[in-house]
């Protein structure tokens, strides 16, 4: 399972007033500037994602105007992979045949990785400012987020010293080795950035959907529930974001999904009847900083997906149990 497919975003906000980045401000203020900069800054560039032996390059363009926030994300290899967002409306182009339209299920994605609720973040991480550096030919300040326990990963983030825009982010294991990295290789901040892909108005947005025969994203079948499933091994500081019953792709019956976050790392538990589930190999697998644990339990197929060290994901998976009758 790929994180950006199965973990829909939990936090999405538009920034209010912009702030000039001041390296002498306290850590919380600097983090807040970084968080808002991703939503308030005009930029266009190419970034590289690396995890294990996998390398992916993407082009991103982000613009803000009187109509709101506009973003275009393009894969640079293989068949067409493109996502265009205008505020909470999203178009997804996957190859030549799959074209979809609908409201987005937002998630934090590079360079918008930081939540705006910085105090919650500081409950779980010690934040320190480190060396100055250069990324994509821009001067950058570096922030380190060191977890207060061994059940989550450390992270380092490089931000543009003037705007606060995140330029590079790495996830570090307990030996300080990089296990996942995003970094701009080319970047333009401000200036003359192509706007031809942005509709002039909301009516133009609807016209594009009709002209390109864009069908809604599959949002039907999602409902918040109290499912009766209990997860006792969630690391301290993780809070439940949502518990829902939903239809996944290529499934006929709904599955239960429970989502947690500590403000930075995400954790999802999926529960479905074993007879109706696809059965990839059981046990632990990984992709960069994301670990997946699958098990069978009393006729149910349980999948835990988390941006956490292996033992934390195992701890969560082994603690999932059915505690009582569900309540809608």
């Amino acid at each position: 399972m790929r994180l950006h497919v199965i973990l829909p975003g939990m936090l999405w906000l538009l920034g209010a007033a912009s702030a000039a980045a001041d390296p002498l401000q306290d850590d919380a203020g600097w983090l807040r500037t970084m968080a808002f900069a991703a939503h308030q800054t005009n930029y266009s560039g190419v970034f590289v994602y690396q995890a294990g032996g996998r390398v992916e390059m993407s082009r991103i363009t982000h613009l803000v105007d009187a109509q709101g926030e506009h973003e275009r994300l393009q894969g640079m290899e293989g068949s067409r992979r493109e996502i265009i967002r205008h505020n909470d409306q999203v178009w997804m182009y996957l190859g030549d045949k799959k074209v979809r339209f609908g409201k987005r299920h937002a998630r934090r994605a590079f360079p918008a990785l930081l939540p705006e609720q910085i105090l919650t973040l500081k409950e779980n991480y010690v934040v320190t400012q480190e060396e100055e550096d250069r990324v994509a030919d821009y001067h950058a300040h570096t922030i380190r987020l060191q977890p207060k326990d061994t059940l989550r990963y450390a992270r380092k983030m490089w931000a543009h010293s003037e705007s606060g825009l995140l330029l590079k982010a790495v996830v570090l294991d307990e030996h300080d080795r990089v296990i996942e990295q995003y970094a701009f290789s080319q970047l333009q901040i401000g200036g003359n950035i192509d706007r031809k892909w942005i509709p002039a108005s909301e009516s133009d947005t609807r016209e594009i959907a009709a002209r390109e025969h864009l069908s809604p994203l599959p949002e039907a079948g999602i409902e918040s529930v109290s499912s009766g499933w209990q997860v006792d091994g969630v690391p301290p500081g993780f809070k439940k974001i949502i518990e829902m019953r939903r239809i996944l792709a290529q499934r006929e019956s709904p599955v239960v999904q429970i989502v947690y976050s500590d403000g930075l790392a995400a954790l999802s538990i999926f529960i479905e009847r074993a007879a109706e589930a696809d059965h990839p190999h059981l046990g632990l697998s990984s992709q960069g900083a994301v670990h997946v644990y699958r098990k069978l339990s009393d006729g149910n197929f349980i999948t835990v997906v988390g941006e956490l060290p292996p033992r934390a994901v195992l701890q969560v998976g082994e603690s999932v149990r059915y505690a009582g009758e569900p309540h809608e």
Side-chain angles (χ1 to χ4, degrees), residues 121-185:
L121 192 66
K122 293 188 73 174
E123 291 176 5
N124 305 304
Y125 298 86
V126 176
V127 182
T128 56
Q129 296 190 43
E130 296 195 346
E131 75 279 1
E132 297 185 359
D133 204 346
R134 293 194 74 80
V135 178
D137 208 30
Y138 286 92
H139 183 266
H141 293 294
T142 309
I143 287 281
R144 184 183 181 97
L145 297 104
Q146 187 67 33
K148 295 181 179 180
D149 56 33
T150 60
L151 297 175
R152 63 202 90 205
Y153 288 121
R155 299 164 188 254
K156 285 184 71 172
M157 298 185 175
W158 287 253
H160 182 216
S161 57
E162 295 180 17
S163 67
L165 180 68
L166 188 61
L167 306 179
K168 178 180 176 180
V170 300
V171 180
L172 303 165
D173 68 11
E174 66 273 19
H175 303 294
D176 237 25
R177 294 177 300 211
V178 175
I179 55 177
E180 185 174 85
Q181 174 176 293
Y182 290 91
F184 277 111
S185 58

Side-chain angles (χ1 to χ4, degrees), residues 4 30 45 56 61 71 74 94 100 105 119 125 130 162 181 196 206 215-216 218 225 257 277 281 289 292 296 315 319:
H4 64 269
W30 179 238
E56 293 182 3
T61 302
E71 187 172 275
Q74 300 166 283
L94 304 175
R100 300 182 293 176
H105 295 287
L119 293 180
Y125 298 86
E130 296 195 346
E162 295 180 17
Q181 174 176 293
K196 297 184 183 69
R206 292 190 292 271
S215 57
V225 298
Q257 181 182 1
H281 74 276
V292 180
L296 288 169
Q315 172 182 301
S319 75

Side-chain angles (χ1 to χ4, degrees), residues 29-72:
W30 179 238
L31 283 171
R32 193 171 292 109
T33 297
M34 291 167 63
F36 284 120
H39 300 292
Q40 299 171 333
T41 307
N42 291 344
Y43 59 88
S44 180
V46 173
F47 67 86
V48 180
Y49 169 77
Q50 294 175 281
R54 194 168 115 242
V55 178
E56 293 182 3
M57 296 181 65
S58 302
R59 180 179 298 278
I60 187 169
T61 302
H62 181 272
L63 292 162
V64 181
D65 59 19
Q67 301 292 331
E69 230 186 323
H70 313 279
E71 187 172 275
R72 185 183 193 186

Side-chain angles (χ1 to χ4, degrees), residues 84-99:
I84 295 178
R85 176 172 69 86
H86 303 297
N87 297 318
D88 66 348
Q89 299 292 315
V90 171
W91 291 257
M92 299 178 65
Y93 300 87
L94 304 175
D96 296 328
K97 297 181 179 179
K98 294 184 180 179
V99 183

